[in-house]
Amino acid sequence: MKHYMLLSLLLALWCVPGAPVAQGGMNEGSCEDASAMAAAGLALSEINLDRTEGYVFALHRLSNVHTAQHGENGMVFYLTLDVEETNCSVHSKKDWKACQTRPPSTPVYGQCKTAIYISKVHRVVRLYKYNCIVRPVPAARVIRMCPDCMFLTSTDNPKVQEIVALSLEKFNREGGFSKPFTLLNVNRASNSAWFSRWDFRVEYTIQETTCLGTGPCPLLGCGFSRKGFCQAHLSSRDTDTSVDCEIYEPECSERETKGRVRSLPAMGQMVILPCRMSQPRIDVRVTLSLKQDPQIPGQVEPSILPFPKVVSANCFPAPAGETLVENLFFEDPMFKKWWAIWTC
């Protein structure tokens, strides 16, 4: 059903008007064009569905567009998307439009570069590659804006680990499932402190095990094990940890993902990466059209070109804004020089 919902958005696409040739047969597109915006929404939905860890991304703005015609009816879009993290786990498979972005005090923001092929006539949407970089808001900016607001903290914090253990034990005891769940990953933690008061919120993912009693608990096999996303809370005013978990039905997929998401430290913190600065992974090689298109009879797949190194003349830099996220996109040097991405 979700796939059909995505395909229905193709109705918003129309032919892209003529534009200057950028490189190797690409055309510069407009970030205000309705077809490019529709392609950006489809691309982000496909990226979120492809990912196996983290949170659903929502579209903040489209910041670069290039296109390449394929056949009479197809188009490859090379897009740069400014994104924000939402409160939905990728395991939920929810569409990004149904998710809320993070509160202004704890946003995670970044950019995704993606190549996506769309044929409206054949009702085909095919994500080829993507590369995302995200980073959290600097804690100092949050404290300056709102001293008693929640701000991100290390998931290795002993209090965070304690809250995870207590809340998961509580869920397994009271959740009503015959088999217990075990911790997969602590996704994020935030806290606030004001004089003698403190407040912690922790989010983590869990997976069902084979246990029927005590002892070591192996995970259930692929396709049989449910996963969950939990939110736990404990403050200095509470006597017990609260926990709320969403449980998702088993899903088995051994496919190779089409891209990656890299998390960097907040702006202003040192980034130490033992590699050189180069183009994103999607730039490394051209995917040649040497095989039959799996969805369109009599047509080969499109060639995926190296990602463009220039910003389209019809797309403009992120302006300064009223919200913290808008100002971070405006100030962050990582996204001003959006083509310079660290890759290993």
Side-chain angles (χ1 to χ4, degrees):
M1 175 62 76
K2 290 182 180 179
H3 202 63
Y4 287 114
M5 291 174 65
L6 288 175
L7 290 176
S8 68
L9 292 175
L10 287 171
L11 297 176
L13 296 169
W14 58 73
C15 294
V16 177
V21 175
Q23 65 178 55
M26 282 189 194
N27 293 319
E28 293 185 357
S30 169
C31 289
E32 304 298 325
D33 184 73
S35 62
M37 288 299 300
L42 288 168
L44 191 54
S45 294
E46 292 294 314
I47 289 171
N48 286 325
L49 288 173
D50 186 72
R51 293 167 54 217
T52 58
E53 294 181 357
Y55 297 89
V56 170
F57 292 145
L59 183 64
H60 177 75
R61 69 188 291 268
L62 177 60
S63 58
N64 195 25
V65 182
H66 288 74
T67 62
Q69 187 77 31
H70 178 64
E72 295 182 2
N73 304 304
M75 187 77 69
V76 180
F77 289 84
Y78 299 86
L79 308 171
T80 301
L81 314 175
D82 290 356
V83 299
E84 294 180 63
E85 194 176 83
T86 73
N87 59 0
C88 294
S89 167
V90 295
H91 295 296
S92 70
K93 301 301 179 184
K94 292 179 181 178
D95 189 71
W96 61 270
K97 298 184 188 69
C99 300
Q100 293 183 338
T101 54
R102 291 286 175 181
S105 60
T106 57
V108 174
Y109 65 102
Q111 279 188 342
C112 293
K113 293 173 173 35
T114 180
I116 186 170
Y117 170 66
I118 297 175
S119 174
K120 182 177 70 172
V121 171
H122 295 99
R123 301 182 67 80
V124 172
V125 175
R126 188 181 304 133
L127 177 71
Y128 274 94
K129 294 178 183 290
Y130 65 90
N131 189 307
C132 303
I133 288 181
V134 296
R135 67 195 324 177
V137 61
R141 295 286 290 270
V142 176
I143 295 172
R144 187 165 67 242
M145 178 184 70
C146 178
D148 59 345
C149 282
M150 303 288 287
F151 58 91
L152 295 177
T153 190
S154 171
T155 57
D156 294 328
N157 185 306
K159 196 66 179 179
V160 170
Q161 299 295 319
E162 177 188 354
I163 292 171
V164 170
L166 291 174
S167 60
L168 181 54
E169 180 184 2
K170 181 177 181 178
F171 173 75
N172 282 328
R173 185 174 65 250
E174 302 176 359
F177 293 93
S178 60
K179 297 182 178 65
F181 286 74
T182 190
L183 177 67
L184 278 183
N185 187 46
V186 180
N187 299 89
R188 65 184 286 144
S190 56
N191 78 298
S192 65
W194 189 247
F195 294 103
S196 61
R197 297 180 302 176
W198 51 265
D199 200 347
F200 279 88
R201 297 184 186 276
V202 185
E203 299 175 5
Y204 56 93
T205 51
I206 57 177
Q207 186 165 341
E208 195 173 18
T209 69
T210 61
C211 281
L212 293 175
T214 59
C217 296
L219 297 175
L220 285 171
C222 179
F224 298 96
S225 182
R226 287 174 287 195
K227 290 184 179 180
F229 172 66
C230 298
Q231 301 181 72
H233 174 252
L234 183 64
S235 76
S236 56
R237 302 177 296 279
D238 298 326
T239 58
D240 189 19
T241 304
S242 65
V243 61
D244 181 41
C245 298
E246 289 184 356
I247 303 300
Y248 312 118
E249 290 305 307
E251 181 181 40
C252 186
S253 175
E254 297 181 354
R255 59 176 172 76
E256 183 179 355
T257 58
K258 298 174 183 177
R260 62 177 175 177
V261 176
R262 173 166 294 168
S263 296
L264 297 183
M267 182 172 57
Q269 296 183 16
M270 184 177 296
V271 180
I272 301 176
L273 294 171
C275 56
R276 63 184 179 85
M277 196 188 305
S278 64
Q279 295 303 313
R281 178 186 286 184
I282 70 173
D283 291 355
V284 172
R285 58 187 177 188
V286 176
T287 303
L288 299 175
S289 56
L290 299 177
K291 59 181 180 179
Q292 177 68 38
D293 192 294
Q295 295 172 278
I296 307 176
Q299 183 169 303
V300 295
E301 290 194 62
S303 296
I304 305 303
L305 303 172
F307 205 83
K309 300 178 181 179
V310 297
V311 178
S312 169
N314 299 311
C315 295
F316 303 98
E322 298 180 357
T323 68
L324 178 56
V325 166
E326 289 172 339
N327 285 324
L328 289 171
F329 273 115
F330 175 73
E331 299 168 16
D332 198 325
M334 175 64 70
F335 305 124
K336 286 184 177 181
K337 295 183 177 181
W338 58 266
W339 62 88
I341 294 181
W342 288 95
T343 57
C344 295

